[in-house]
Amino acid sequence: MKVTVVGAGAVGASCAEYIAIKNFASEVIILDIKEGFAEGKAMDLMQTASLNGFDTKITGSTNDYSKTADSDICVITSGIPRKPGMTREELIGINAGIVKMVSTSLIEHSPNTIIIVVSNPMDTMTYLVHKATGLPKNRIIGMGGALDSARFKYRLAEALGAPISDVDGMVIGGHSDKGMVPLTRLATRNSVPVSEFISEERLEQVLQDTKVGGATLTGLLGTSAWYAPGAAVSSMVQAIACDTKKIFPCSTLLEGEYGLHDLCIGVPVILGKNGIESIVEINLSTSEKAHMQESAIGVSATNKLLTL
Ligand SMILES: NC(=O)c1ccc[n+]([C@@H]2O[C@H](COP(=O)([O-])OP(=O)(O)OC[C@H]3O[C@@H](n4cnc5c(N)ncnc54)[C@H](O)[C@@H]3O)[C@@H](O)[C@H]2O)c1
Ligand SMILES: O=C(O)C[C@H](O)C(=O)O
């Protein structure tokens, strides 16, 4: 199993580290445009191998895509992150050009690969990769919902005073401050609806804190987060590499599912060796449907800013 991660920055390196520590891939290539940067990150990570007990071989490359040839999975984390006070959508001007160039370079060398898009604004970048590469929809997957759901579970556990392992919940919709749709109605503590334990007001606070999870961290860190994003990507890579068929909310091209067309947005999917094995259509309440519709309008408006 060969995995390429483009962008050796905060998220790319964290993602490569978690993939290596989980020890399911034989090879991870990290590629960056900055001279020597990916090679340095790869060497530093390889020097953790004996300490962390993994055999994954990590190699760095400065923009040499021939090193990425025949990758089974490629992750795109290249591009600029936001600064405090910015929205993810404001990154489109710089990141669209980077993501377009990177995705076409990747498939030149790995025509059968599965691409996971991380760069922001992620739903629009995932749509752009569709337009730029023409790959089948099961092989282009945006990462957002896995991270947002992890943050949702963190906030739920905090509100419930429960261990996170006792909590389950999912966030669908666009990966944006306004567009996320945390499914509070379906969240549970060990199979019991969370509404049995906490008030509607507290649950609303959990929902709001979840939606601004990325912005909150950006305010604290001065740049956007990397540990949870890296862990979220690595879990998706593992599900594909090990053909687990686990459900993750992912950004995927919708062609009528959830009543939506011609955009990529977060919905539950089954991940396996073919990438997206299927989209899971769950019954949403009237208000969840309305939030999803509103979220889709936001994503489509950002898509319109692309020059395709
Ligand atoms: N989808 C998500 O949930 C999620 C989560 C976190 C971050 N992000 C996004 O991921 C991106 C990366 O964030 P980061 O914190 O790692 O940023 P970073 O600045 O630490 O790293 C980005 C890296 O991309 C490299 N790069 C730029 N242009 C490139 C090119 N053409 N080819 C190869 N490499 C190139 C840079 O040299 C840099 O090393 C940002 O757009 C950020 O908003 C998304
Ligand atoms: O918040 C950001 O800009 C980065 C990322 O999308 C996140 O949610 O951490």
Side-chain angles (χ1 to χ4, degrees), residues 6-12 31-34 37 63 65 77-82 91 95 98 101-102 117-120 122 143-144 147 175 223-226 229:
V6 181
V11 178
L31 182 145
D32 202 284
I33 200 163
K34 229 187 288 174
F37 192 56
N63 227 25
Y65 280 85
T77 71
S78 47
I80 55 164
R82 63 173 158 165
L91 305 173
N95 287 354
I98 294 174
M101 189 278 288
V102 166
V117 183
V118 181
S119 312
N120 273 317
M122 181 277 297
M143 191 292 285
L147 170 64
H175 180 62
T223 183
S224 55
W226 55 89

Side-chain angles (χ1 to χ4, degrees), residues 231-244:
V233 181
S234 75
S235 297
M236 288 166 56
V237 171
Q238 186 174 25
I240 297 165
C242 304
D243 194 26
T244 63

Side-chain angles (χ1 to χ4, degrees), residues 58-129:
I58 309 170
T59 311
S61 158
T62 303
N63 227 25
D64 177 0
Y65 280 85
S66 68
K67 300 251 172 66
T68 71
D70 300 321
S71 291
D72 300 287
I73 303 171
C74 294
V75 178
I76 303 180
T77 71
S78 47
I80 55 164
R82 63 173 158 165
K83 296 244 179 300
M86 289 173 75
T87 64
R88 296 175 180 88
E89 289 73 15
E90 287 175 66
L91 305 173
I92 190 173
I94 293 180
N95 287 354
I98 294 174
V99 168
K100 191 172 182 181
M101 189 278 288
V102 166
S103 60
T104 51
S105 304
L106 284 171
I107 61 158
E108 253 172 55
H109 296 271
S110 304
N112 300 316
T113 198
I114 291 168
I115 296 184
I116 299 180
V117 183
V118 181
S119 312
N120 273 317
M122 181 277 297
D123 298 292
T124 294
M125 294 302 104
T126 307
Y127 184 73
L128 172 62
V129 172

Side-chain angles (χ1 to χ4, degrees), residues 144-171 180 182-184 186-190 194 198 202-203 206-207 209-211 213 228 232 235 246-249:
L147 170 64
D148 301 332
S149 301
R151 289 179 175 153
F152 185 35
K153 286 180 247 190
Y154 163 78
R155 289 296 185 189
L156 280 169
E158 183 182 55
L160 290 160
I164 293 186
S165 57
D166 226 16
V167 172
D168 205 5
M170 183 160 58
V171 178
M180 284 177 213
L183 297 175
T184 49
L186 300 177
T188 58
R189 176 175 183 179
N190 201 352
V194 293
I198 49 176
R202 187 68 183 90
L203 206 42
V206 166
L207 180 143
D209 289 345
T210 300
K211 289 175 75 166
S235 297
K246 270 173 79 92
I247 292 183
F248 289 83

Side-chain angles (χ1 to χ4, degrees), residues 239-286:
I240 297 165
C242 304
D243 194 26
T244 63
K245 310 277 201 293
K246 270 173 79 92
I247 292 183
F248 289 83
C250 294
S251 190
T252 182
L253 186 71
L254 296 185
E255 297 167 305
E257 300 91 345
Y258 288 89
L260 300 171
H261 296 267
D262 193 32
L263 83 168
C264 295
I265 194 166
V267 294
V269 304
I270 294 176
L271 290 185
K273 63 180 186 312
N274 299 306
I276 294 181
E277 302 284 341
S278 60
I279 293 173
V280 180
E281 286 210 64
I282 52 177
N283 281 324
L284 298 178
S285 69
T286 308

